[in-house]
Amino acid sequence: MINRLSEQALKNILNGKTKESFKCVIKFYSNKCEYCHKLKNDYVNISKQFSNNVHFFAFNALESDNLDDLISINGVPSIAFVKVQAKPEVSILDDPSSPSEETWYYPEDIVRFVEENLYD
């Protein structure tokens, strides 16, 4: 299951102001982004693979006027892995060298990114 994040919830995650420590993946998207729409089903399927270990979230980048102050992403879609703790650790999935013409990221690249961050 993918939960949408409010800007305040995103701030809490990125600033370590949560009640507990956990690991999560955040997809940054825009309703105006064709790649983002087409990536949705892959993202849902990937979240099911990791449902016991990682929380999956989505954040509409257009809902924040100061997203650059919170996290450094190159645009949408972007995928971040966050180890939420007192001092959160954030990793951003690199832009693909050969992007998918449909979804920008290939699902296997997202899976590999999650696995690398989950088990390191």
Side-chain angles (χ1 to χ4, degrees):
M1 179 173 165
I2 307 213
N3 292 305
R4 288 192 62 223
L5 288 175
S6 67
E7 185 171 14
Q8 186 59 52
L10 178 64
K11 286 179 184 179
N12 290 344
I13 287 171
L14 296 176
N15 292 318
K17 295 182 178 180
T18 60
K19 293 180 182 175
E20 58 189 48
S21 297
F22 59 92
K23 296 175 182 178
C24 69
V25 178
I26 304 170
K27 177 181 83 166
F28 293 87
Y29 72 95
S30 162
N31 290 331
K32 297 178 180 182
C33 170
E34 186 175 325
Y35 290 125
C36 298
H37 286 288
K38 291 181 178 178
L39 184 60
K40 182 179 180 180
N41 289 335
D42 290 334
Y43 190 64
V44 168
N45 291 333
I46 292 166
S47 74
K48 292 175 184 174
Q49 291 178 329
F50 295 98
S51 63
N52 293 331
N53 304 11
V54 182
H55 299 278
F56 278 75
F57 298 110
F59 181 77
N60 186 342
L62 296 179
E63 292 181 0
S64 175
D65 292 332
N66 61 348
L67 187 59
D68 290 339
D69 294 339
L70 297 174
I71 190 167
S72 179
I73 59 172
N74 290 332
V76 293
S78 285
I79 307 288
F81 189 98
V82 184
K83 294 177 183 171
V84 182
Q85 50 202 9
K87 186 172 179 172
E89 295 177 29
V90 178
S91 299
I92 308 291
L93 178 58
D94 291 333
D95 287 339
S97 56
S98 290
S100 162
E101 291 182 18
E102 284 191 35
T103 60
W104 187 254
Y105 292 112
Y106 291 97
E108 57 270 19
D109 293 336
I110 298 172
V111 169
R112 187 173 24 258
F113 174 70
V114 172
E115 288 175 340
E116 288 170 357
N117 283 281
L118 181 61
Y119 302 117
D120 76 349

